[in-house]
Amino acid sequence: MTLRKKKHRDVHDLPKGMNILFNIIAGGFAFLCVYPFLFVIVISLTDESSLATKGYSIFPDKWSFSAYEYIFKAGDQLLRSYGVTIFITILGTVVSLAMIALYAYAISRKNFTYRGFFSFIAFFTMLFNGGLVPTYMVVTQVLGLKDSIWALILPLVMNAFYVLIMRTFYSTTVPDAIIESAKIDGAGELRAFFKIVLPISLPGIATIGLFATLGFWNDWFNALLYIDNPALVPLQSMLMRIENSMQFLLSNAQLSSSGQSLELLRSLPQEATRMALVVLATVPIACAYPFFQRYFVQGLTIGAVKE
């Protein structure tokens, strides 16, 4: 008598048809997320006269690089702004991660005497702050960072919200027994942190690192407040100045009745330039996201399921 073994079926297995259907649905949602950015790229490469006559279209009648040519007329200044932004993003993210990770680790330790006090300080700054004028006075007069590269870094390195996230991450992910065993073997607090806690906490650190990177890359307000030196202007502020210059030229052309001004008004790629600015500001940081993606997903889902 032959006994047929019943094939075990995983509860997550789906019939082939359903699997294909769900993949199509997921692909459709993914395309809907990517489509707006692809549309922005197409508009940035569309001739301005085509935009004026036929509006936005994913398949324009006439392609043109005039928007990028207008932007790249800035030449060395644009490349310098890219370099400044890349520098402050890398250095600022490293400094921010170091400060946030160490601060959060300290207030996550139950045997830290002043744990409640420093946790309250971090939480209090999320509810109240000194305001723009006192902040400006501290940065420019007390710290003397006017027209300094550190004026673009130090105001953003500490974020109380990220500190509380990392504190929760340490509390739910790093068992106290591991740290105690390291201390029994003779490791100090810092050695236990760098050798044991830090490798375990890579998902959370990568998540905070991505948020910090986006913050430094997209920051333009600190440059508006503290930077007058053209050599220290970051990318976002530089692109904003290009946009303001275009608006200034268009406004003056509308007020003027000369034919030369009207011709200038027609030739400026106004809409395409706006989209080109978005592309130039977004593509580099979007290319960096895949390197964070695996840790980013893990960091967001840690602690979602409780035992």
Side-chain angles (χ1 to χ4, degrees):
M1 182 177 178
T2 304
L3 295 177
R4 294 183 178 177
K5 293 183 179 179
K6 193 173 182 180
K7 186 178 180 181
H8 176 70
R9 184 176 179 183
D10 191 352
V11 293
H12 299 289
D13 287 343
L14 292 174
K16 186 176 180 180
M18 293 294 294
N19 197 1
I20 294 175
L21 177 62
F22 287 151
N23 276 280
I24 293 175
I25 294 175
F29 278 113
F31 177 75
L32 290 177
C33 294
V34 176
Y35 178 78
F37 186 67
L38 295 177
F39 197 34
V40 168
I41 296 176
V42 171
I43 296 173
S44 69
L45 296 172
T46 304
D47 185 72
E48 189 70 17
S49 59
S50 177
L51 288 174
T53 56
K54 298 188 177 180
Y56 297 148
S57 174
I58 194 66
F59 300 108
D61 294 337
K62 186 177 180 181
W63 300 88
S64 174
F65 289 93
S66 57
Y68 292 94
E69 292 174 358
Y70 178 82
I71 295 174
F72 281 101
K73 284 180 180 178
D76 294 340
Q77 179 61 46
L78 185 62
L79 296 177
R80 190 181 300 112
S81 296
Y82 257 113
V84 170
T85 298
I86 292 172
F87 177 78
I88 65 174
T89 299
I90 295 175
L91 181 60
T93 301
V94 172
V95 175
S96 180
L97 283 178
M99 296 180 64
I100 291 174
L102 291 171
Y103 192 105
Y105 175 70
I107 63 177
S108 70
R109 302 292 295 132
K110 296 179 182 178
N111 58 352
F112 180 47
T113 306
Y114 302 102
R115 175 189 179 192
F117 173 73
F118 285 102
S119 297
F120 172 76
I121 289 179
F123 178 73
F124 184 81
T125 58
M126 295 176 61
L127 304 178
F128 305 98
N129 62 73
L132 180 59
V133 174
T135 302
Y136 181 84
M137 294 175 64
V138 168
V139 173
T140 57
Q141 299 181 16
V142 178
L143 299 179
L145 298 180
K146 181 71 173 178
D147 268 339
S148 169
I149 196 69
W150 290 105
L152 303 175
I153 297 176
L154 293 183
L156 298 176
V157 293
M158 280 299 287
N159 187 301
F161 180 65
Y162 299 162
V163 169
L164 297 180
I165 290 178
M166 283 304 300
R167 183 197 65 176
T168 305
F169 186 91
Y170 289 139
S171 301
T172 58
T173 307
V174 182
D176 292 336
I178 295 181
I179 301 176
E180 295 301 327
S181 64
K183 289 186 176 181
I184 292 175
D185 291 336
E189 201 70 59
L190 285 177
R191 186 175 181 183
F193 173 77
F194 286 107
K195 294 292 185 180
I196 297 177
V197 177
L198 201 60
I200 298 176
S201 307
L202 283 180
I205 291 175
T207 303
I208 299 302
L210 179 60
F211 290 149
T213 300
L214 291 174
F216 282 106
W217 182 270
N218 293 324
D219 178 59
W220 57 270
F221 190 64
N222 286 327
L224 181 66
L225 292 176
Y226 309 123
I227 302 299
D228 294 328
N229 186 358
L232 297 178
V233 175
L235 176 66
Q236 304 294 344
S237 181
M238 174 64 184
L239 297 180
M240 180 177 294
R241 294 183 182 187
I242 293 176
E243 171 70 13
N244 291 336
S245 298
M246 176 175 287
Q247 292 296 331
F248 176 78
L249 292 175
L250 292 173
S251 300
N252 285 331
Q254 289 175 351
L255 294 176
S256 176
S257 59
S258 65
Q260 185 179 1
S261 298
L262 293 177
E263 184 64 26
L264 175 64
L265 177 63
R266 297 190 187 97
S267 63
L268 282 178
Q270 183 178 3
E271 295 296 328
T273 300
R274 289 197 181 100
M275 301 305 172
L277 295 176
V278 174
V279 173
L280 292 175
T282 306
V283 168
I285 199 66
C287 293
Y289 175 76
F291 298 98
F292 292 90
Q293 183 177 8
R294 178 166 62 93
Y295 295 111
F296 181 69
V297 174
Q298 293 178 9
L300 289 180
T301 56
I302 283 290
V305 179
K306 302 295 183 182
E307 296 182 357

